[in-house]
Amino acid sequence: MNLLRTKSIEQSMADADEPGRRLKRSLSSWDLMIMGVAVAVGAGIFSVGAKAAANFAGPAVTVSFAVAAVTCALAIMCYAEFATAIPVAGSAYVFTYATMGEVLAWIIGWNLILELFTAAAVIAKYWGIYLSKVFALTGLDVPASVSLGGVEVYWGALLIVAVFTMLLVLGTKLSARVGNVFTLIKVAVVLFVIIVGFTYVKFENYSPFVPASEPAAAGGSADVLKQSFFGFLTGAVPAQYGTLGVFAGAALVFFAFIGFDVVATSAEEVKNPQKTLPRGIFGGLAVVTVLYILVSLALTGMVSYTELAQAKNPTLTTAFEAVGNTDAAKIIAFGSLIGLTTVIMVLLMGLARVVLAMSRDGLLPRSLSKTSDKRSTPVRLQIICGAAVALVAGLTEVDLLEEMINIGTLSAFVMVSLGILVLRKKRPDLKPAFRVPFGKVLPVVSAALCLYLMTNLAVQTWIFFAIWLVIGLVIYFAYGQRHSRLNEKFAEARVAVNGAGADEEVLAKI
């Protein structure tokens, strides 16, 4: 059993062109850039920054966003180099398969499913809740959930997932056009919030910029599970603010950058990927970073971080209410709703593309990778993914697993960053259109930063993550390893080699 067998780049390219399982190249640099903005700029821009400022970083949440942006940028550079060398669907899963072997590729693919599925379900549920808030602001009392047979059903989540699943079935280009319209609207809302917010800024609220570290409020034994994994390993007393608080804030706001890896999953549907992918990915990241930093500056300048900390769930709305502008709440609620809409669409597409790549390779049932002859979209798979997300979002408390999104993404970032070093060593003949600068330095720094941010996540998140990995490995050894197309080719080669009486070492070169 060769668990570290790799799949050649040439074979990945050939599989992507297999009749009945291929995708249509229809996306431009603009589409990709908008896609990156669409999936990153969601309700998080109105809430996650406020939480990080209130509980971890204070006004230095701006630095937290910068650290998260740099970490994301370094990882995205590695994604861009891989994607221009192997422009097929599957993102980090495909890249790991080509460099580090099948079992590690499975783990990364499994983690990407965790990231995309959980994110889509969590955000779909939030969409339904925000929809009820928008109705309330217009004077209509429409509950976010209804009780059916004793079960709370979040009807908004079911609705939005169904709509975008249908759009994605009809075609990637069509859904991208719809997403473009929604994205431009929500960027306009964010700019409006920034401009209005800066009119209330008081510079004394920025002092102290990095608040002094202080012990976190005690909450009993549960604190052990909620403290950072780094603090648990080092035995540090749970604290907030200070320098470590800035990095803890970065780990939290990293959630706001999740999605740029999803853009790489669309590599197989991009026109001229060697040029289009880098432009689209980095253009989107630049826009998002500027928006996040401006929002965080407006937020912490409007009100003191200590005032935000007094709120149970601080958001940007909290800041506007504190300065007496309650009308802004309506704009923010509308912006949050529009923001979440496009995020759900891109996540559903990314989830289907990762599963498509894994099923092409036989690690998941091959029937899932069939695409429509008419529309060149994975109709069956997209509907299955949409139905699963809708059920979990509509019927469970999936929002409790919010941090699982971060750890799934960061683990993929670590593997892709290290995979670049392996790719360059194994295939020096490749000349991707984009290469990460400064040789080995930036990929190593990227992996180290991502790993450090992972350790800033809660202990309970790591426990859930470990359980997820165990479940994934059980599925791999029970099904994926035996049904792998690479395993079949390896077995055929072994028979041929043994039949010819050749040395077993020849197998290692296959």
Side-chain angles (χ1 to χ4, degrees):
M1 184 187 299
N2 186 354
L3 300 180
L4 298 179
R5 57 194 176 212
T6 58
K7 181 179 179 182
S8 71
I9 293 173
E10 289 75 15
Q11 187 60 53
S12 293
M13 299 290 285
D15 288 348
D17 201 39
E18 181 182 348
R21 302 178 193 276
R22 66 179 65 154
L23 300 170
K24 183 180 180 181
R25 295 194 181 276
S26 60
L27 302 177
S28 64
S29 292
W30 171 258
D31 291 325
L32 283 190
M33 186 178 79
I34 292 294
M35 189 183 296
V37 176
V39 75
V41 180
I45 196 170
F46 302 115
S47 60
V48 73
K51 291 178 183 177
N55 302 322
F56 297 104
V61 68
T62 303
V63 179
S64 297
F65 271 111
V67 170
V70 169
T71 304
C72 186
L74 291 174
I76 290 303
M77 285 184 188
C78 299
Y79 270 86
E81 181 169 336
F82 261 124
T84 53
I86 320 174
V88 299
S91 185
Y93 159 74
V94 172
F95 307 155
T96 306
Y97 211 161
T99 54
M100 298 186 182
E102 185 173 277
V103 69
L104 290 176
W106 166 266
I107 290 172
I108 291 302
W110 187 241
N111 288 349
L112 285 173
I113 291 174
L114 167 69
E115 171 205 345
L116 299 170
F117 183 88
T118 308
V122 168
I123 293 172
K125 184 173 182 178
Y126 282 152
W127 187 90
I129 294 172
Y130 273 104
L131 180 62
S132 292
K133 289 182 178 179
V134 170
F135 279 130
L137 289 171
T138 60
L140 297 175
D141 182 18
V142 181
S145 63
V146 294
S147 182
L148 295 177
V151 177
E152 285 294 309
V153 178
Y154 290 83
W155 61 272
L158 298 175
L159 173 66
I160 192 64
V161 172
V163 169
F164 277 107
T165 296
M166 185 57 62
L167 271 176
L168 288 166
V169 164
L170 293 176
T172 305
K173 186 65 177 179
L174 173 62
S175 53
R177 286 173 179 167
V178 174
N180 290 352
V181 174
F182 278 102
T183 301
L184 292 175
I185 292 173
K186 71 178 176 182
V187 168
V189 171
V190 171
L191 290 174
F192 171 81
V193 169
I194 291 170
I195 293 169
V196 175
F198 268 107
T199 64
Y200 294 100
V201 165
K202 295 179 181 179
F203 288 98
E204 57 265 29
N205 288 329
Y206 292 129
S207 181
F209 189 69
V210 181
S213 178
E214 60 184 60
S221 59
D223 280 351
V224 176
L225 294 179
K226 292 183 179 180
Q227 75 175 113
S228 73
F229 191 57
F230 180 81
F232 176 77
L233 292 176
T234 59
V237 176
Q240 58 187 149
Y241 308 127
T243 303
L244 291 181
V246 174
F247 283 99
L252 178 62
V253 302
F254 189 82
F255 173 79
F257 287 92
I258 284 175
F260 284 97
D261 55 324
V262 179
V263 178
T265 68
S266 63
E268 196 176 318
E269 296 166 269
V270 174
K271 295 180 288 187
N272 193 10
Q274 283 70 24
K275 292 183 178 180
T276 302
L277 273 165
R279 291 174 183 170
I281 291 175
F282 293 123
L285 180 61
V287 171
V288 166
T289 301
V290 170
L291 291 177
Y292 283 167
I293 289 177
L294 289 175
V295 167
S296 63
L297 283 171
L299 168 72
T300 53
M302 290 171 68
V303 296
S304 169
Y305 73 93
T306 55
E307 190 169 349
L308 289 173
Q310 292 172 7
K312 185 177 181 181
N313 290 301
T315 65
L316 196 57
T317 302
T318 307
F320 277 99
E321 289 175 344
V323 297
N325 189 342
T326 54
D327 289 337
K330 297 179 181 179
I331 303 296
I332 293 171
F334 175 73
S336 297
L337 186 68
I338 295 296
L340 290 177
T341 303
T342 53
V343 176
I344 296 167
M345 182 195 73
V346 180
L347 290 172
L348 286 171
M349 188 190 79
L351 174 62
R353 299 315 181 262
V354 170
V355 177
L356 173 80
M358 296 175 75
S359 63
R360 270 181 185 162
D361 294 329
L363 300 183
L364 291 173
R366 286 268 293 165
S367 59
L368 295 176
S369 61
K370 291 182 179 179
T371 56
S372 164
D373 293 333
K374 182 179 180 180
R375 304 188 184 278
S376 295
T377 57
V379 174
R380 180 188 305 175
L381 177 57
Q382 195 70 67
I383 292 174
I384 291 173
C385 289
V389 168
L391 288 174
V392 171
L395 303 177
T396 72
E397 297 296 324
V398 68
D399 46 310
L400 297 176
L401 300 178
E402 193 171 304
E403 273 200 2
M404 295 293 284
I405 304 168
N406 287 15
I407 202 167
T409 304
L410 286 166
S411 66
F413 278 16
V414 170
M415 200 63 72
V416 170
S417 299
L418 296 177
I420 283 295
L421 304 178
V422 180
L423 179 69
R424 290 175 179 176
K425 184 174 181 180
K426 292 181 67 173
R427 294 296 302 270
D429 57 304
L430 290 178
K431 303 297 180 185
F434 176 85
R435 285 180 68 89
V436 181
F438 303 110
K440 300 178 181 178
V441 176
L442 290 188
V444 171
V445 171
S446 172
L449 272 174
C450 291
L451 193 59
Y452 177 68
L453 288 185
M454 285 178 72
T455 65
N456 278 275
L457 296 172
V459 172
Q460 64 182 7
T461 301
W462 280 84
I463 293 173
F464 290 144
F465 186 54
I467 294 171
W468 176 262
L469 288 179
V470 170
I471 294 172
L473 288 173
V474 169
I475 294 174
Y476 172 73
F477 287 110
Y479 181 89
Q481 191 274 331
R482 293 186 295 109
H483 292 84
S484 164
R485 296 186 75 200
L486 195 60
N487 182 51
E488 294 172 358
K489 293 177 182 178
F490 198 86
E492 292 171 1
R494 181 181 292 277
V495 171
V497 167
N498 289 340
D503 196 294
E504 282 286 312
E505 291 183 2
V506 175
L507 282 170
K509 300 179 182 179
I510 297 175

